[in-house]
Amino acid sequence: MDNNDLLIRLRYALDIKNNDMVEIFKLGGIELTKEEVLKVLTKSPESDDEADGIWEAAENEDHIKADNAMFESFLNGLIIFKRGRQEPKPGQPEKPALTGEPSKNLLLKKVKIALQLTSEDMLEILQLAGVTVTKSEMSAMLRKQGHKNYSNCGDRYARNFLKGLAIKYRK
């Protein structure tokens, strides 16, 4: 799963409208028009199983690839959109620095913050999608990269977390 796919699934799960997507990107520090957001929210040609030469011409004009910095900026904007802007403490930078962490781990951390979820809530969301995760596994995925108990979040957990979010928030 690439960052565009994660954005598409997160947008669906939380039922975020196009105008709100533009606002969230803006809060995260990226200026995109509604048309550009729609290009970001298209499936990337590489993610299709039948990717042969037909995509190469259309890819440049109909698709904007979301890199890790764009994805992390969107997640930072989502936190501000859902919780409000936090005043920086003295000596703290105005904008949070980009971590460069794998996007799936970042997705879990930032969505947890944006939606004010506890670890138990996250386990419950994964349970809704039919995946059982222990508290220690969840804790390992939420740790800082480089920690001795850090665990990389795989596609399965990210996909099922977003599926559980959709079940919980799209009634």
Side-chain angles (χ1 to χ4, degrees):
M1 283 178 39
D2 64 352
N3 292 336
N4 293 70
D5 197 27
L6 292 172
L7 282 171
I8 292 166
R9 289 171 188 249
L10 183 61
R11 176 181 184 254
Y12 173 79
L14 298 178
D15 197 20
I16 302 172
K17 307 292 182 235
N18 290 339
N19 293 334
D20 292 340
M21 290 292 288
V22 172
E23 179 67 21
I24 291 170
F25 272 112
K26 187 176 181 181
L27 290 171
I30 296 180
E31 295 285 334
L32 291 177
T33 64
K34 192 174 180 179
E35 291 76 28
E36 290 171 329
V37 168
L38 292 175
K39 288 181 181 181
V40 169
L41 295 174
T42 57
K43 251 187 153 14
S44 70
E46 300 90 46
S47 68
D48 274 348
D49 294 334
E50 300 151 22
D52 41 17
I54 60 172
W55 285 105
E56 293 182 25
E59 178 182 358
N60 295 335
E61 58 200 47
D62 292 340
H63 179 71
I64 297 175
K65 185 159 177 52
D67 59 359
N68 287 345
M70 179 187 274
F71 185 68
E72 188 169 351
S73 295
F74 174 81
L75 292 173
N76 288 338
L78 180 66
I79 291 171
I80 295 169
F81 184 76
K82 291 287 189 181
R83 298 188 63 169
R85 189 172 298 278
Q86 184 179 17
E87 293 301 317
K89 297 177 179 114
Q92 189 179 26
E94 190 73 26
K95 241 173 92 171
L98 299 179
T99 62
E101 193 172 332
S103 55
K104 293 169 198 87
N105 288 70
L106 206 59
L107 171 79
L108 293 179
K109 287 180 186 180
K110 301 274 183 168
V111 169
K112 179 183 180 190
I113 294 168
L115 301 178
Q116 301 177 12
L117 301 172
T118 63
S119 293
E120 289 78 22
D121 294 335
M122 294 184 72
L123 294 173
E124 178 185 312
I125 288 169
L126 282 164
Q127 189 70 44
L128 287 172
V131 176
T132 305
V133 180
T134 64
K135 265 188 162 180
S136 59
E137 285 176 311
M138 179 57 68
S139 173
M141 288 186 274
L142 296 173
R143 291 193 184 277
K144 188 174 185 178
Q145 191 174 13
H147 188 279
K148 69 175 187 166
N149 292 331
Y150 172 82
S151 172
N152 213 358
C153 178
D155 282 352
R156 175 178 170 241
Y157 289 127
R159 187 179 310 111
N160 284 304
F161 178 71
L162 292 170
K163 181 180 175 184
L165 276 177
I167 292 169
K168 183 172 181 165
Y169 288 100
R170 291 185 67 98
K171 294 179 176 142

